[in-house]
Every structure is written in structure tokens, then in C-alpha cells.
Amino acid sequence: MAPPKKSKKVKRKAKDSSKCGSLYSEPKLPEPQPPDSEWWYSFWHKNYDSGPDIPLEEDEAFKYFFRVSKKTFEYICSLVREDLVSRPPSGLINIEGRLLSVEKQVAIALRRLASGEAQVSVGTAFGVGQSTVSQVTWRFIESMEDRARHHLKWPEPERIEQTKQALEASFGIPNCCGAIDATHIIMTLPAVESSDDWCDQESNYSMFMQVVVDHEMRFLDMVTGWPGSMTVSRLLKFSGIYKLCESGKRLNGSRAEIREHLIGDSAYPLLPWLMIPFEGKGLSAAMKTFNVKHKSVHTIATRALSQLKGAWRILHKVMWRPDKQKLPSIILVCCLLHNIMIDNGDYLHPNVELSDHHDAGYKEQICLQVDSIGRAVRERVCSHLQVSTMLTD
Amino acid sequence: MLCSIPASRASSSWLNRLRASKGFPVPSDLDLEQFLRPSSIPNPTSPPPELDVAGLLSARPPRSRKKHPPLVDPPAPGKRIGDDEELQLFDLMRNALSDLFVMGDPRDLAARRKGLRKQMNPRACVPSASASVDCGASRAALETPPSSADNSVAEAQKGRTKMRKRGTGGQAADSDLSAYSRTEVTVIDTSSSAWKSEKALYRKGMVWKVREKKVGNFCRKKRRLGLGEKIADKKRVRPLADLKGRDLCAKLESQDERCTLIDNGANAKEFVDHCQMPRRPKSWRSPRLPQKSSSPSKSSLPFRLQVIAAKK
């Protein structure tokens, strides 16, 4: 069944009248401009049968193509409207020579990020050229970097307290503020740029990305741009969160001699504020219990990264010769979109295909660096878990 | 300098000059080997020893002073022993040279004359790369290269000790990055005040060094800070040429390293101006673009000029 087409004239008239109203109204109140939905019906009509899994229901189809609900989409448009609104003569135009609405530009950018398809394919789906897709996507990314950054920030103490309580209630680990993990964004490079510095352990050219997530899979901290060839522990040490935590400016609260900490896998060093699992054979029961709980918390970070790469498939696919100066911005904006969805209560559609692991094909690194204070903190967490397990039994 | 000292008398004139400059006497019958032997230590009364030794050691990293404390080796039996000052001076000299070369035991110095003239195992004088892997890190211990930092606690602690001895030797290490491959990276870190930063990354094997690239903010978009700026933002017309200019900036930056090293305002301003110069080609604007009533009779060029003037 083809989706219904809406009359273009009606929409255009509504738009014009709202413009006139906003010019002469005193005092000025934000005039509720009717969002441009014409592009959507045109797009849906053109692409409803472009794949086997496309839902027939309109809202679901919208989420299939753009990952976000219409409500979240409107919110994103409101964020970037100031930057993307087309003004002649610089406004972007489509093939028919008409200015692109903000909604259509956001849709083009979201589709490019969500599908990871080539710019030409995305352009064809929207009836615009490849260069328009390129320009629109970059303008959107630049705007989001500026205007949506409040969606990715280190939380206030009250919010951290909520996270700690939620994680302790679910997994029993006290004073845990989240989980940390890293993933590779794989790319190809032109021969002139194919330096070993970007060639990682699996002989892919890649860029690192490290995130800290809370109990709701929201990104609290993100660092990217470093080459994938370095070790995860080196990546950590180059990151801002490491410096803040080491200087005691972050994760400095303590309870029962257990410092606020994050949960990381064996690729990270054991630090007073970063707990990693016990390694080796002959682990005691308490250590095994710790490892089980530890893994459960760490899974939140792993799932968050899988969702990120599943939803914004531009990060999942092998990126073809990206501009390494721009790639970090693309990664950041995908993280911002991930957080916006969570903040708006908009969850990923279950039909979205997720891989088992965000870094499939990569062997787990093991860092043997152990800080003595970190070891003591881990022992205390271990004892705490043992006591609480005994009490519950 | 000391690496190239030959022991031949023929080229002793520059050696004499060196000795003289350091305050050592310049006897006509003194060659390097005699100079190095304890028996040939010149009379310490003529030069002021403390001053000279300090001058000699100042060229070396401070760690060597700790590594080679004076009067470590007991005098060999049968060796003619002078007074304490002579011995101390000799040891300091030997330490200074042994830090640069693999000297071996001084007791069989006479037996290996040729070995002394031509160093069999010259020691590399490249400053250790583990020194300043990161700038501004609070714990130097954890800035050891991954080969040690990642692998064992013992090695990490060893690195920590080394770092303490080295002190602020970062500048010395900076001077020799020729052996490192250089990569320019754009890093986004939400834990740093400015999320986006340009860095120069140096790598040699598993050793990484990072340096901040001093770039002005001329390529960054203005951030919203308050209501005033928000209002200004609303009035702002950002022509695409601006964006193109920014792209061009990025390209200039990556192509010419010198561009990225500008750190004063004047230079940065100059680049702003340069960035605004390029204009989009005339063919960019579609002839089918509908003319709005706001600028029906104006050509595109005056319009753009007007926008730029308004921005200033």
C-alpha cells in the first residue's frame, strides 16, 4: 500500500501565512510554525518498498528510516533550526530549485548517519544531489556539536547519586558511577595517508572512541580522535577523564573506604577509581562473585556501544576515506543523538539489527597494570559483595 | 662534543681550547689518555675544581648526577692515590664520560688503549621517550610507555622512579622527535574545557608522545554563551562562503605545519582574513534560485559584501 500524498499547495499556503503573522505580531511570541511534513510523505511514497523490513505503519516507518520518533525529530529540528534555516542566496536547494526546509535537511542528515549508505544513495532517496547530502550533513553536524552539547555532560552530584543507587540496587556494587568501554571506528585511508599510526591490532585503519555510560546507557563522557593503534590503557591515559580522576577532581566521593569508581574491562588498568575484573585461575568465591557483578555492570557499556553502532550505522560500516579531522565530529553527533533519544524517552526500535559485540573481530586486550590503592579498593568491594550475598542468603 | 674527541696530538689545538675554556691547564705534553688517568690529573690548585665540574655536568641531564654519585669505586690496589680532591675530580670526569660512552673498568684502561680511542659500544644519547609522554598529567608514573606501563607493576614503578630522577626533562626530550612518526589528530574530549583540540602525536613503536598544537580559535564556530549572543545569533546571516572558508582553513592547516603553530593573535587574525577571502564560484548559485523581494535588484556580490560588513 502506497502511503498517502498530501497536497503541496495547502502546506505552502500555511507556511506563507505563518511568515506574515510573525512579521507583524507585537509582542513577539514564538509563532508555532507548522513543521514541514511534505518531505516525509514524498520520501515515504518513494521509499516505502525499498527494503523488506520497512514497517507499513507510518510512525514505525519513520523510526525505521530515521531511528527517532517524530517527536524527537521535531526536537532535533528545533535545536538546529537557527543554523539550518535556508536563507537566499546561501540556502541549499533541491533538484527542483526550491529551498530545503530545516526538516528535510535534518532528515537527510539523520538518514545518512542512520543508514551509513553512500551520499549518492541518500540523495536519490530524497531527490537531491550527492553534494547537497554532503553539505547538509556537515552543516547539521556542526550545528549539533554546538547546540546539543548539553545532552552529553558529566552529571551533577544528585544525578551521580541516582546512578550509584540504581547500580547498587541492580548489581550490588557500591559507589559505582558507571561503566567505561572503548571501540574502534574502522575506516579506509588513501595510500598517501595510510600510516601505521592508524593501523590497529587487527590490521584495520581505525579511530578510537571511549565512553562512560550511566545505568540508563546514557553517555556521560566521550573521547575520540585517537588512532586505533594505541592500547586501550594508553587511550585512557590520554583522555581528560583520566586526568580529572587522577587529580581528584572527579569521582572523588567515598563511602566505606570505597571510592567512587567506574567499571572497566581487562584492557584498562586497575586504579582506585577504575575497577577491572580479577584475572587468572584459582579465584576465590568472592572474586568470582565480584567478576559476575562486574560483568553485569560492564555489559551496560557494551550494549550502549552496540546500540550506538547499530542505530547510527555510519559508525558500524567501514568508512571510506573519511576526513580524519571531521570524523570525530560525526562520532560525537551520533553520541549526542543517542543521548537525545534517551533523554526524550525514545528508545531504539527492536527491529534495528544489533551486532553481538560492538568491536566484533577484535581480541580483548589485557592490561596488567595494577595500582596498589586500586587493588585495596577492589578487595573492599569484594568483601562488601560477599557480606551482602551472605545476608541475602 | 665529547663523542668526537680523538686522542691524537695532531688535532690537539681545539682540544686545548676546550680545556682552556673549561679551566683545565693545557700542558704541551698532555694527551687525552694521560688526562684521563688518575696519575695525570693536573694540579687541582690551578683551576677552581667545583666550578669546572659543575660547568661540565650542566650539559648533561640531572639524572646522571644521581646515578653516578662521586667516590663510588674504591681505588685499585697498586694505583697511585692522590689526595681526595684529585680523586673526586677524576671520578666526576670519568662519570661524565661514562655517561656518554661505555667506558668499561678504568683499571684496565691502559691495557685497552685502542678501545678507548674508538668506542666499541657507543651509547645512544637520545633522550628517553618515556619522559614526557603527556603534558599536564598529574601522575608521572603512569605516563610510562605502554610497554612498561601496561605490562607489569614492577616496570611501572621503575618508570616512576626514572621519571622522578628526570624531573622536568620534557624540553630536552622535545628536541629530538626526528625518530618519531608524526600524526596530526583532531581530538574531541568532553572532559576538557574546549571539547575539540588539535594535537600532534608522535610515535616510535609503542612509545607515544602528544603535543598540543597551538592553533587559534579562528576555525572554530562561535559558541553561544548568553542571551546577548543568542540575539546576535538570530540576526546572524552565515553565508556558505564562511563554511567554505573554514574548510579551506582546515586544509591549509593540514598542509602547512607552520600554519598550525601560530600562537599570537596577530597571526591568527591574519588567517581569519585569509579564510574569508575565498568565495564560492559563480556557478555555485543556481540560476533557478527564486529572487526574494528583500534583494531583488542587487547582484550577489554586493549582497555578500554587505553581510561581511555587518558582521564586523
Side-chain angles (χ1 to χ4, degrees), chain A residues 142 147 196-198 221-224 231 233-234 237 240 242-243 246 250 328-329 368-369 371, chain B residues 134 139 142 144 149-151 181 183 186 188-191 196 203 208 221-222 224 240 243 246 288:
Chain A
E142 276 196 313
R147 308 214 177 233
D196 282 348
D197 293 347
W198 293 93
D221 180 85
M222 197 278 288
V223 58
T224 188
T231 59
S233 62
R234 172 59 51 202
K237 285 164 194 172
Y242 176 84
K243 286 158 196 163
E246 284 291 297
R250 190 172 281 179
S329 300
L368 298 179
Q369 189 189 334
D371 182 282
Chain B
D134 198 2
R139 282 179 62 177
L142 295 160
T144 47
D150 294 350
N151 294 338
S181 66
T183 310
T186 302
I188 292 183
D189 193 333
T190 58
S191 284
K196 199 182 269 189
R203 183 195 188 188
W208 296 86
K221 195 164 82 171
K222 193 170 67 177
R224 291 184 307 164
L240 198 66
L243 291 171
R246 252 187 280 173
R288 290 174 292 175

Side-chain angles (χ1 to χ4, degrees), chain A residues 354-366:
Chain A
L354 301 180
S355 62
D356 293 338
H357 194 270
H358 55 81
D359 238 359
Y362 278 82
K363 286 177 201 154
E364 194 180 352
Q365 295 178 16
I366 293 187

